[in-house]
Amino acid sequence: MKKENWATDFLTNLAKLYADDVEVLEIIEDTIDVYGEYVAYVYKMESLRHILRIKLGKDEYKNSVEEMDEKRTRIHNAAIASTKTINRLCEFNELPLFFQGNIEDRVEVAEFIRDVVVNVFQNRKR
C-alpha cells in the first residue's frame, strides 16, 4: 500500500532550491546515503548478534559486538549531523524543518531516520 512520499518529496524540493549549488546537493545526497547506511547497519548488527553469540567464544563475541556498536554509533552520529545540516538549510530558506523532533534525543532521531527509509521503501518504483 503506497503512502504519501513525504521524505523524497521534501528532499527533492529542497534540492530544487539549490539546483545550482553542487555542494548543497552533495549534502542532500550524503544525507540520503547515511540514512540508508544507518538503517542497514542496525539491521545487520541486530540480526548478526544472535548468530555471533552461537558462533563465537565469549570474549570474541564481546569484542565483535563492541566493534559493531562503535561503527553503528559513528554512522548514527553522521546521520544526526546530516539531519542538523538539512534542518539548517530549511531554517535558512524559512521552510518547515525536515526533522521536527528533539535533535538531542538519539532514539527519536533514529526512529525518524527509520521512518524516512521506510517511507522511501514503501514508495519505490516497481
Side-chain angles (χ1 to χ4, degrees):
M1 180 168 133
K2 282 197 168 215
K3 296 185 177 183
E4 180 184 347
N5 199 0
W6 61 268
T8 301
D9 289 349
F10 191 99
L11 293 172
T12 300
N13 288 332
L14 186 61
K16 286 177 183 176
L17 292 175
Y18 289 96
D20 297 326
D21 190 330
V22 174
E23 287 181 25
V24 173
L25 293 175
E26 287 177 2
I27 289 169
I28 295 169
E29 284 181 48
D30 290 346
T31 300
I32 292 166
D33 287 344
V34 77
Y35 278 20
E37 184 180 358
Y38 176 69
V39 170
Y41 200 79
V42 169
Y43 168 76
K44 175 183 176 179
M45 183 178 167
E46 293 304 319
S47 298
L48 284 178
R49 180 180 300 217
H50 305 289
I51 295 166
L52 294 177
R53 185 181 304 269
I54 296 165
K55 179 181 173 187
L56 303 176
K58 186 177 180 179
D59 290 340
E60 199 176 5
Y61 169 77
K62 182 180 179 256
N63 291 338
S64 181
V65 169
E66 285 175 359
E67 288 174 14
M68 287 190 303
D69 193 50
E70 288 172 8
K71 182 173 181 179
R72 181 201 48 78
T73 299
R74 284 192 306 273
I75 298 168
H76 192 188
N77 289 343
I80 291 169
S82 289
T83 304
K84 288 178 179 180
T85 302
I86 294 295
N87 275 356
R88 281 194 299 277
L89 292 169
C90 293
E91 288 172 343
F92 180 78
N93 288 285
E94 298 179 355
L95 298 171
L97 299 179
F98 185 49
F99 173 70
Q100 298 183 5
N102 177 3
I103 197 70
E104 302 306 320
D105 184 334
R106 295 178 67 80
V107 173
E108 189 176 347
V109 177
E111 290 172 355
F112 172 76
I113 292 166
R114 179 208 55 215
D115 291 347
V116 168
V117 172
V118 167
N119 182 255
V120 171
F121 189 85
Q122 287 174 331
N123 289 284
R124 70 192 183 279
K125 302 286 185 208
R126 295 178 192 198

